[in-house]
Amino acid sequence: MKKSILLILILLFNCNLFSQSNLEPTNDLENNYQGVLKDYFDNIFPLLFDGLSNKPLARFTAMPSFSYENTLSVEKDSLEEYKMIFHRCNESYWYAERKSKVKIIKDSITIDSEFAQLIEKLFKKAVYNSKKPENEMIGFDGEFYYFTILNNNDNLSTGMCWSPNKDSRIGKLVEIGEFLIDLTTKKSNDFKITKMRMEELIKEFD
């Protein structure tokens, strides 16, 4: 049954596998889904976002088909410090038999304002350039990514992609999101390389 629903998931969200230059615009993540997937999305996003700011500078959310759902939020706290905060489920919420038992594992680090604002700038460039794809094709490994920013009206705007080509502009954007997660979970400390790659990708969106 779940494999059938995963196939529906694939068919519902089309993207160009071979060349993806832009995110697809989407609505508020917590109020965007109907039908067989509504219950899943109505529960997973509030679980992931619990305790996070309602107005992040930038947010990267990944929904893998066969791994743990997760989100990275870039925020400024009440002490005017910039943080990267990472939340992930301790098991796949999709496959969990007892969804009420799924817990969130949390990591966070403090970052400087320049690095935070660079992330914000890149995500805004990507989200503001969101477009419906001209050529629609089905991908094969089923991984959804959402990029969220605080827009000029002080509301959240989100663009999404599905399994982009790694060499495409959006593939590079996803890779940077994964680099940011590695920095937050201390699997990497290479801020210099990540900063350089963000600067390079910002130029591609100009």
Side-chain angles (χ1 to χ4, degrees), residues 73-89:
S73 192
V74 181
E75 306 180 1
K76 185 165 69 170
D77 66 16
S78 59
L79 299 176
E80 298 294 305
E81 290 187 332
Y82 291 89
K83 305 275 189 181
M84 289 199 298
I85 305 168
F86 180 60
H87 286 186
R88 75 167 178 86
C89 295

Side-chain angles (χ1 to χ4, degrees), residues 79-132:
L79 299 176
E80 298 294 305
E81 290 187 332
Y82 291 89
K83 305 275 189 181
M84 289 199 298
I85 305 168
F86 180 60
H87 286 186
R88 75 167 178 86
C89 295
N90 67 332
E91 62 177 304
S92 170
Y93 189 85
W94 177 266
Y95 286 106
E97 293 184 5
R98 301 179 67 185
K99 290 179 168 43
S100 63
K101 298 296 184 182
V102 175
K103 304 300 181 185
I104 295 297
I105 297 172
K106 304 177 181 181
D107 289 281
S108 67
I109 60 170
T110 300
I111 56 177
D112 63 45
S113 60
E114 181 184 2
F115 194 77
Q117 289 163 9
L118 191 62
I119 299 169
E120 181 184 25
K121 183 176 181 179
L122 173 59
F123 279 36
K124 281 187 172 181
K125 290 273 187 182
V127 173
Y128 286 149
N129 276 280
S130 296
K131 296 178 182 178
K132 288 291 185 181

Side-chain angles (χ1 to χ4, degrees), residues 12-203:
L12 283 174
F13 295 89
N14 297 324
C15 78
N16 187 334
L17 179 65
F18 299 104
S19 176
Q20 192 168 12
S21 297
N22 299 95
L23 297 171
E24 288 188 50
T26 188
N27 298 322
D28 176 29
L29 293 186
E30 298 183 51
N31 298 287
N32 195 37
Y33 297 95
Q34 302 296 325
V36 294
L37 300 173
K38 179 174 173 55
D39 185 63
Y40 170 71
F41 285 112
D42 280 353
N43 286 281
I44 185 58
F45 288 127
L47 179 65
L48 281 176
F49 299 158
D50 184 43
L52 298 176
S53 172
N54 293 325
K55 295 186 176 183
L57 298 177
R59 183 170 290 161
F60 171 60
T61 304
M63 312 291 285
S65 294
F66 305 105
S67 186
Y68 308 148
E69 297 91 343
N70 62 80
T71 191
L72 175 85
S73 192
V74 181
E75 306 180 1
K76 185 165 69 170
D77 66 16
S78 59
L79 299 176
E80 298 294 305
E81 290 187 332
Y82 291 89
K83 305 275 189 181
M84 289 199 298
I85 305 168
F86 180 60
H87 286 186
R88 75 167 178 86
C89 295
N90 67 332
E91 62 177 304
S92 170
Y93 189 85
W94 177 266
Y95 286 106
E97 293 184 5
R98 301 179 67 185
K99 290 179 168 43
S100 63
K101 298 296 184 182
V102 175
K103 304 300 181 185
I104 295 297
I105 297 172
K106 304 177 181 181
D107 289 281
S108 67
I109 60 170
T110 300
I111 56 177
D112 63 45
S113 60
E114 181 184 2
F115 194 77
Q117 289 163 9
L118 191 62
I119 299 169
E120 181 184 25
K121 183 176 181 179
L122 173 59
F123 279 36
K124 281 187 172 181
K125 290 273 187 182
V127 173
Y128 286 149
N129 276 280
S130 296
K131 296 178 182 178
K132 288 291 185 181
E134 294 180 3
N135 300 311
E136 296 186 345
M137 298 186 69
I138 300 296
F140 296 99
D141 78 356
E143 191 138 5
F144 292 82
Y145 302 99
Y146 300 89
F147 294 84
T148 300
I149 53 102
L150 194 64
N151 63 31
N152 294 332
N153 296 318
D154 206 35
N155 296 316
L156 297 181
S157 293
T158 299
M160 62 84 65
C161 62
W162 187 71
S163 298
N165 185 314
K166 291 181 179 180
D167 294 325
S168 70
R169 188 163 67 175
I170 297 305
K172 295 174 186 177
L173 181 66
V174 168
E175 185 178 45
I176 284 172
E178 292 170 344
F179 288 160
L180 296 175
I181 290 172
D182 285 346
L183 291 171
T184 306
T185 57
K186 299 180 174 60
K187 291 181 180 178
S188 168
N189 62 357
D190 205 337
F191 284 85
K192 184 176 180 180
I193 293 296
T194 304
K195 180 176 180 290
M196 181 184 71
R197 293 193 178 186
M198 286 194 289
E199 290 171 338
E200 290 172 350
L201 191 53
I202 285 169
K203 292 176 182 178

